[in-house]
Amino acid sequence: MNPHLRRYINSVATLLFVAAMGCGNRILAHHNPTSIDKSAQDANSSKLPDTSHWKVYRNEKYGFQLKYPETWKVSSSRGTPPEMIYFRGPYRGVITQALTAAVQVNMNPRKLSIEGWFDDQLRAVDTSKLQAKGCSTVAGQPACFYETTDKFGKKRCVYTILHKTDVLTFIYDLGTEDSTNAAAIVESLQVLN
């Protein structure tokens, strides 16, 4: 396949995936690692719960693991990629998804940094409609993220690279009972060798 056509298809597929997950209203445009906005700084600096007694979700297929609260449930999708892993808090009268993790296999075939990969993805879209947020780290690993608000509330989308070629995406609601637990799950990321 023509490399330009493949890049275009990959870019469109990524953006469609993000839109389908509820974070497509706005997307990160990384320009400077120090450009993290105030709401992102506040969310990162909030005290995360102690995870020492949490259960461990281990994904041997893609080589990573996460910790999650003992009272939460984990399920995953079956079928075509991207692989989706759902972490749900306790039932409180309404079933909600507190955190979704998605693995997009070989979305970074050129083995770019997360910042480079994201910049590359943005070349295929109209950036005048995008809102910049910033890049930081997740469990010591470089990551880019943005926040968006839709009719269901405020969401955070976090992207990081797994084993140089796969993109791992986390999506969770902000401002809910489960927000700090979701942030702690993301921060517990451990990439396996």
Side-chain angles (χ1 to χ4, degrees):
M1 178 184 294
N2 177 320
H4 296 292
L5 178 60
R6 182 175 181 208
R7 191 176 114 203
Y8 176 77
I9 290 170
N10 284 341
S11 296
V12 170
T14 299
L15 294 173
L16 288 174
F17 167 74
V18 170
M21 292 305 302
C23 291
N25 297 342
R26 297 183 190 138
I27 197 165
L28 166 76
H30 171 75
H31 299 290
N32 181 344
T34 61
S35 70
I36 298 170
D37 71 13
K38 176 110 175 76
S39 66
Q41 286 175 343
D42 291 346
N44 284 340
S45 65
S46 64
K47 185 168 171 59
L48 296 178
D50 176 18
T51 63
S52 61
H53 299 301
W54 283 13
K55 293 181 181 179
V56 175
Y57 168 82
R58 188 175 179 98
N59 190 308
E60 296 289 343
K61 182 177 179 180
Y62 296 111
F64 70 95
Q65 70 181 30
L66 301 163
K67 290 183 172 186
Y68 65 98
E70 305 85 12
T71 59
W72 285 37
K73 304 290 183 215
V74 178
S75 61
S76 60
S77 67
R78 302 282 186 254
T80 59
E83 181 158 332
M84 310 291 282
I85 302 111
Y86 307 102
F87 294 83
R88 292 183 178 91
Y91 180 73
R92 295 183 188 101
V94 176
I95 296 175
T96 61
Q97 288 172 286
L99 174 80
T100 300
V103 180
Q104 295 174 281
V105 178
N106 204 30
M107 277 305 288
N108 186 25
R110 297 182 326 184
K111 301 178 182 177
L112 302 172
S113 67
I114 189 62
E115 296 89 351
W117 175 82
F118 222 84
D119 284 344
D120 193 47
Q121 297 301 304
L122 293 176
R123 288 188 185 102
V125 298
D126 178 3
T127 58
S128 68
K129 297 179 181 176
L130 306 178
Q131 180 180 2
K133 288 295 179 190
C135 288
S136 183
T137 59
V138 167
Q141 184 163 316
C144 293
F145 63 94
Y146 64 91
E147 294 172 1
T148 186
T149 302
D150 62 18
K151 64 183 179 181
F152 300 109
K154 192 170 190 177
K155 297 186 183 320
R156 173 171 282 185
C157 301
V158 180
Y159 298 87
T160 191
I161 302 293
L162 261 187
H163 305 294
K164 299 183 182 178
T165 60
D166 300 339
V167 176
L168 178 59
T169 305
F170 297 101
I171 302 166
Y172 61 96
D173 293 333
L174 293 173
T176 69
E177 281 183 67
D178 295 326
S179 297
T180 56
N181 283 334
I185 292 170
V186 173
E187 279 298 324
S188 76
L189 173 66
Q190 192 173 22
V191 178
L192 309 172
N193 292 331

